[in-house]
Amino acid sequence: MRTKVRYHKDRLKEDLKNPEFCKHYAKEKKSLEIAYQIARLRHKLGLSQKDFARRVGTTQQVISRLENGKYTGYTLKTLEKLANATNTELVISFRSMQVA
């Protein structure tokens, strides 16, 4: 008997049909995107978490938490501090919801 190989994208496509799953997936995706952008910005500047923390005026542990995809406590004030410390612009926008 042969078993059919299931790929992640196929399973995800199936799971996204569930509204409850879709809601949680969207929230997690946003957290991961923010964490990734912060880490990418730090790497682009060639800074360690400790050096980045000094520049922002916080601790290395806070930077580590902000770069963790499970963290959801981002505040506008914190994101503005990151932008100011890196001479970047914080852009926040609203877009139409995309229905899966």
Side-chain angles (χ1 to χ4, degrees):
M1 178 195 301
R2 295 183 88 193
T3 56
K4 184 180 176 190
V5 176
R6 288 188 73 188
Y7 294 98
H8 179 266
K9 66 179 182 174
D10 296 330
R11 171 67 192 263
L12 180 59
K13 190 175 182 180
E14 186 179 306
D15 287 342
L16 285 172
K17 292 176 185 175
N18 177 327
E20 191 67 20
F21 178 88
C22 196
K23 181 176 87 173
H24 291 290
Y25 179 82
K27 183 179 178 183
E28 291 295 319
K29 185 178 177 190
K30 285 178 188 149
S31 294
L32 282 169
E33 287 172 352
I34 294 169
Y36 178 72
Q37 285 185 46
I38 293 169
R40 188 175 61 203
L41 176 61
R42 179 176 63 78
H43 284 282
K44 183 178 176 183
L45 295 171
L47 299 171
S48 67
Q49 286 184 341
K50 188 174 182 179
D51 292 335
F52 192 41
R54 258 191 236 115
R55 187 184 273 202
V56 175
T58 190
T59 65
Q60 178 273 326
Q61 290 85 355
V62 170
I63 299 301
S64 177
R65 193 176 322 124
L66 293 172
E67 291 182 357
N68 184 327
K70 295 181 193 277
Y71 183 71
T72 59
Y74 300 101
T75 65
L76 183 56
K77 183 178 178 179
T78 300
L79 296 175
E80 287 174 332
K81 283 174 73 174
L82 293 171
N84 288 335
T86 58
N87 199 32
T88 57
E89 178 185 16
L90 175 63
V91 178
I92 298 172
S93 64
F94 292 93
R95 295 185 225 157
S96 297
M97 299 280 290
Q98 296 195 8
V99 180

